[in-house]
Amino acid sequence: MAGRQPCDSLWLGADIVTLRDGRYHLQPAGAIAVRAGRILWCGAEADAGDFAAAQVTRFTGGIITPGLVDCHTHLVFGGDRSDEFAQRLEGVTYADIAARGGGILGTVRATRAASQAALQQQAAARIACLLAEGVTLLEIKSGYGLDVASELRMLQTIRALGDALPLTIKATCLAAHAVPPEFAGDPDGWIDCIVHQLLPRVAQAGLADAVDAFCEHLAFTPAQVARVFDAAQSLGLPVKLHAEQLSALGGSSLAARYHALSADHLEYITEDDVRAMAASGTVAVLLPGAYYLLRETRCPPVALFRQYGVPMALASDSNPGTSPVLSLRLMLNMACTLFGLTPEEALAGVTLWGARALGEAHQRGSIEAGKYADFVHWPVAHPAQLVYWLGGQIPCQTIVNGERRQ
Ligand code: NIG
Ligand code: FE
């Protein structure tokens, strides 16, 4: 028919939850036209006759959401820390374990000892759990190497996973995660090494998309973090920060001063910090898995984030210590039950705001013309059903860059 726009594929037969602006914006009986991996058009099925598609997929009901985004993980690591889980249940704290050389440093030993092939294969098995839940954009941090060669090897492993697996993976350099054994008692020596040796090599090889640090009394001070951030920015790398997880050090205000993409955890954040994040447009990444597994009692101040208009993302924080979590949907439920988010806020947290926490919101995270065609079909009647079920699997079909994943 004359005047019909050609496209590669047309997807019909479901309600579309676009998550534009972080709201559901439900399009009943919707349709999506895809061309060259991007969304050409999204609207009512009744108007889809304007498109001539090479391939048409008709679902029988259900909903389509944007692909899910897990914007904070530590999925590449060696070993496991189930022994520490048992100790913590007996009252030993995370800080006690770290002070004894366990915790992050235990995983550093196991990660250094593992081959790159083993690290990649074990991480791929964990990522398979996220793929089965509709994750299309994933961030993975380094931070268990803690010497130049081992950090580079972790980042190379993350890049290799991105090349091998059917989703987009962003790599974050988290060398300022803990003081390595070689620099015991000399945290500034490790910061020097990060600033002068590691980050220039990371940037030159294009191995990271962002730089993170752990700002905490058992890790690095705001002044040390600022040195890492200065170096990152001079190399053109955006920053993000683990801040206010166990105590209030003002890390989130520091992050805001550097226009960080996100500040993450935030149980101990103050109102001044929240104001600073709002002014800089920094996303608050909430991590209910770590909160739950550390049996933290203080919640991040969701009411303040709402009041000041700070977007809230949610992530698994998947790591062998504080958050051995392999389900992002579980985080949706926990963010609502534990932190008081609405199901709509929770879904926005694993789509549009997760994408923004990775600097990707201009091209991923919602169903809008011009963005990459990353979306998921779910056999449910309403998006809140993705949030309210605890456990189990909802069999979904995932489309990444316009192609069906499985
Ligand atoms: O996000 N806070 C620091 N990093 C991780 C924990 C890493 C670990 O214990 O291995 C977190 O919770
Ligand atoms: Fe983390």
Side-chain angles (χ1 to χ4, degrees):
M1 196 195 297
R4 289 169 84 203
Q5 276 198 65
C7 65
D8 298 329
S9 58
L10 196 56
W11 308 79
L12 311 159
D15 297 341
I16 299 175
V17 186
T18 71
L19 269 304
R20 175 168 50 83
D21 306 324
R23 307 300 302 269
Y24 285 154
H25 286 297
L26 187 80
Q27 167 67 62
I32 300 173
V34 173
R35 188 162 66 197
R38 296 202 184 232
I39 297 166
L40 179 64
W41 169 85
C42 171
E45 184 176 331
D47 299 327
D50 295 348
F51 297 90
Q55 177 207 315
V56 177
T57 301
R58 176 171 289 283
F59 297 110
T60 47
I63 65 169
I64 294 174
T65 68
L68 303 193
V69 180
D70 194 350
C71 69
H72 177 145
T73 83
H74 310 247
L75 274 161
V76 171
F77 60 84
D80 84 287
R81 310 227 299 269
S82 48
D83 54 336
E84 291 177 11
F85 174 67
Q87 287 170 34
R88 287 207 310 275
L89 291 173
E90 285 170 6
V92 186
T93 68
Y94 184 62
D96 293 336
I97 292 169
R100 294 176 194 167
I104 293 170
L105 292 186
T107 299
V108 169
R109 288 188 287 278
T111 303
R112 288 180 181 179
S115 70
Q116 185 163 344
L119 289 176
Q120 183 174 337
Q121 188 236 318
Q122 289 164 15
R126 296 174 196 125
I127 294 168
C129 303
L130 299 174
L131 292 176
E133 287 193 330
V135 172
T136 56
L137 173 58
L138 171 67
E139 184 252 25
I140 309 178
K141 303 172 193 297
S142 69
Y144 294 125
L146 302 194
D147 59 41
V148 171
S150 305
E151 282 293 305
L152 292 173
R153 199 169 68 115
M154 279 197 77
L155 291 167
Q156 282 155 358
T157 306
I158 297 166
R159 287 292 190 231
L161 286 161
D163 291 342
L165 297 175
L167 79 171
T168 305
I169 298 185
K170 306 282 276 186
T172 299
C173 181
L174 175 58
H177 194 195
V179 181
E182 295 80 4
F183 288 88
D186 181 22
D188 285 297
W190 175 232
I191 298 290
D192 285 340
C193 182
I194 294 171
V195 165
H196 299 299
Q197 294 181 46
L198 178 63
L199 287 182
R201 288 182 65 179
V202 167
Q204 211 237 331
L207 284 175
D209 304 299
V211 171
D212 194 350
F214 187 16
C215 186
E216 195 52 68
H217 56 82
L218 51 79
F220 297 97
T221 64
Q224 290 162 340
V225 172
R227 294 186 55 215
V228 175
F229 281 3
D230 284 332
Q233 288 199 333
S234 72
L235 294 163
L237 288 166
V239 299
K240 41 182 50 240
L241 190 63
H242 285 68
E244 274 54 92
Q245 181 185 10
L246 307 168
S247 60
L249 295 185
S252 38
S253 285
L254 173 81
R257 281 202 293 285
Y258 284 83
H259 299 284
L261 293 171
S262 70
D264 304 36
H265 287 287
L266 307 179
E267 279 83 347
Y268 288 83
I269 194 171
T270 67
E271 187 163 354
D272 282 347
D273 296 324
V274 175
R275 215 179 276 119
M277 286 177 67
S280 67
T282 299
V283 176
V285 178
L286 310 185
L287 304 168
Y291 167 93
Y292 168 75
L293 278 134
L294 290 178
R295 294 195 290 176
E296 178 59 65
T297 51
R298 183 155 159 157
C299 286
V302 165
L304 284 178
F305 294 133
R306 286 188 189 124
Q307 182 187 331
Y308 287 97
V310 175
M312 292 177 280
L314 295 176
S316 68
D317 193 12
S318 191
N319 76 68
T322 59
S323 193
V325 166
L326 293 174
S327 169
L328 192 56
R329 272 211 311 107
L330 182 56
M331 300 301 98
L332 294 176
N333 184 287
M334 285 171 49
C336 294
T337 29
L338 300 175
F339 296 166
L341 269 66
T342 66
E344 186 178 45
E345 285 174 327
L347 267 176
V350 297
T351 53
L352 185 63
W353 304 135
R356 181 156 145 190
L358 298 176
E360 285 285 306
H362 61 293
Q363 56 184 7
R364 300 189 193 271
S366 58
I367 298 179
E368 291 180 74
K371 290 195 176 184
Y372 282 103
D374 287 357
F375 51 86
V376 187
H377 176 264
W378 308 88
V380 304
H382 190 278
Q385 290 183 17
L386 304 178
V387 181
Y388 111 119
W389 287 107
L390 195 67
Q393 282 185 348
I394 300 180
C396 57
Q397 287 200 49
T398 305
I399 289 82
V400 179
N401 295 334
E403 302 286 337
R404 197 191 289 251
R405 186 150 72 192
Q406 67 262 4

